[in-house]
Amino acid sequence: MTAKILDGAALAQELRAEFKLRAEALAAQGARPGLAVILVGEDPASQVYVRNKVNACAQAGFHSEKIVLPADATAEALLAKIAALNADPAIHGILVQLPLHKHIDADAVLEAISPEKDVDGFHAENIGALTQGNPRFIPCTPHGVMKLLEKGEVSLQGKEAVIIGRSNIVGKPMALLLLAAGATVTICHSKTADLGFHTRRADILVAAIGKPRFVSGDMIKPGAVVIDVGINRVPEGQPDAGKLCGDVDFASAKEVASAITPVPGGVGPMTIAMLLANTLLAAERVAARQG
Ligand code: NDP
């Protein structure tokens, strides 16, 4: 069997064209959607992610601001910046690129963002709303995964969904969304006993681990749908060393799965598309309130 490719790059492009039209409609009312992205320090991977997000905004006709603070910026400086953006009517979405340096309390920073502008969906109030099944903003990566599953016409009701990874930004919200869609959900992590037992019974397997090519074909149930969230570099000594790869060993997995997301070109572009979707939603809500 060779799996069908769930093409996130193509779907993201389709969605971004639609978002552009909606952004133009808002701009015509004087309410162009605006996103502010804050980067603290010079982590190379974070710089790439921030650049991609800001470029995607520009292409979709959004207003965007990139704010770069030095690596040794104080928590107070960061919180002051967030307070100013919370009060700025040209900004509908605020995103602080994670991870932050250890000297800054990331939870306090996320809580400082106005829940109405929390387009990452990481504020405790928004996570609570998601948990109750009434989300204000759905976190971008799991939201992108759900859109890919929808586009691929993957039925979820009554299916066994297994997620590897329990982070607040991917694993946990992913579990909530799959649960809401009627799947029976298992979350695995580094302490899980017999990971393969769980992965091999998954109809839908989501890998969000951060370990290159960790999930091999023999860990996958024949015919399963495999979602690879991981973004890693292929380690030295392996073919394609230095290139991007996922948490799934694509070559062996695609022979067993019925559908699979590639890396790059799968979940990554969908994450950015969903960030635009949330920013647009935030701007549309403000415009609707203002009549
Ligand atoms: P975290 O490091 O926060 O979480 C990783 C999770 O994997 C943890 O829950 C950890 O378990 C679990 N884990 C680690 N080792 C094992 C193991 N041997 N067996 C089972 N579980 C294990 O990562 P993130 O959730 O932030 O990101 C995961 C991956 O997704 C990364 O590659 C990241 O780059 C990528 N990513 C991609 C995005 C995209 O747009 N495509 C967006 C966000 C992330 P424990 O909790 O016990 O430590």
Side-chain angles (χ1 to χ4, degrees), residues 141 164-167 169-170 189-190 195 208-211 214 229-232 267-268 271:
T141 300
I164 318 175
R166 55 175 165 177
S167 72
I169 65 171
V170 188
H189 46 78
S190 69
L195 183 65
I209 313 161
K211 291 204 153 73
F214 180 85
V229 177
I231 302 179
N232 313 291
V267 177
T271 295

Side-chain angles (χ1 to χ4, degrees), residues 1-8 205 207 211-220 224-230 232 234 238-240 244-267:
M1 183 189 300
T2 296
K4 174 171 110 176
I5 301 297
L6 298 172
D7 187 343
L205 179 63
K211 291 204 153 73
R213 296 172 174 164
F214 180 85
V215 177
S216 49
D218 62 355
M219 294 170 73
I220 296 169
V225 173
V226 177
I227 303 290
D228 190 351
V229 177
N232 313 291
V234 178
Q238 289 189 18
D240 297 328
L244 283 188
C245 72
D247 289 344
V248 175
D249 177 37
F250 186 82
S252 60
K254 76 175 191 330
E255 300 304 326
V256 186
S258 63
I260 188 167
T261 59
V263 178
V267 177

Side-chain angles (χ1 to χ4, degrees), residues 6-8 11-12 15 138-152 169 174 177 227 229 261 266-275 277-278:
L6 298 172
D7 187 343
L11 178 56
L15 291 169
I138 301 174
C140 302
T141 300
H143 195 184
V145 171
M146 295 305 284
K147 290 281 178 197
L148 270 170
L149 291 171
E150 196 184 303
K151 178 77 176 178
I169 65 171
M174 188 76 254
L177 294 177
I227 303 290
V229 177
T261 59
V267 177
M270 288 303 295
T271 295
I272 296 189
M274 292 303 103
L275 174 64
N278 281 349

